[in-house]
Amino acid sequence: MHSFLGQARHLVAALAFACATATAIAEVPTDRLIVRLAGGAPAKTKSAADRQAIAARLSERTGEAMRPLRVMGDGAQVMQLRRRLKPAEVAALVARAGTDPDILEIAPDRIIFPALVPTAPLHASQWYLGAANGINAPAAWDS
């Protein structure tokens, strides 16, 4: 069990490193927004009609058509836009949204690309990262 936890820590560290060294994260346009609701409202407290009403209010205020896509584990709503927006356009959209008593924060649902395969000396011994017996992480990292 101890060995598994050590390997899991290496995997988490490798993934964190890969994400931290990702290039041009801020430059990737997105067509999704994360809308965090006041009170950390769990998904069960907002009906589909409530989520649709929030999307309609935001669409009206921002001038960008959006619809509810899914609910995150913390109750935040992921809204689907009709087009991809650059980071500056997302910032302008958030400014146009103004204040809403039901909404704490609106943030882009960022797409993050890892930069490269880790070069740690023990990386080769981590069988669960390889293609033969594991998750084929290097193929994802090098894409």
Side-chain angles (χ1 to χ4, degrees):
M1 184 64 133
H2 178 68
S3 176
F4 174 75
L5 291 176
Q7 291 174 345
R9 273 183 260 182
H10 285 294
L11 176 60
V12 170
L15 290 173
F17 172 78
C19 289
T21 58
T23 56
I25 292 172
E27 298 303 319
V28 177
T30 185
D31 61 350
R32 295 179 183 177
L33 299 174
I34 298 172
V35 179
R36 298 205 184 282
L37 302 176
K44 304 289 187 235
T45 63
K46 295 290 182 189
S47 69
D50 291 337
R51 292 190 299 272
Q52 188 62 44
I54 292 170
R57 265 195 332 255
L58 286 173
S59 294
E60 184 179 324
R61 288 181 182 174
T62 63
E64 289 289 338
M66 63 183 80
R67 65 176 178 82
L69 181 65
R70 64 183 172 87
V71 179
M72 297 177 67
D74 66 350
Q77 311 294 310
V78 178
M79 299 292 178
Q80 178 76 51
L81 300 169
R82 288 199 179 174
R83 64 188 182 106
R84 289 192 176 274
L85 300 177
K86 295 178 182 174
E89 293 172 311
V90 171
L93 180 144
V94 170
R96 290 192 309 268
T99 58
D100 186 307
D102 292 331
I103 298 173
L104 289 178
E105 172 189 28
I106 301 172
D109 189 4
R110 296 177 192 245
I111 301 170
I112 298 177
F113 300 99
L116 47 99
V117 175
T119 57
L122 296 177
H123 175 72
S125 66
Q126 298 172 4
W127 61 267
Y128 48 85
L129 295 177
N133 299 315
I135 61 172
N136 198 14
W141 287 326
D142 288 339
S143 300

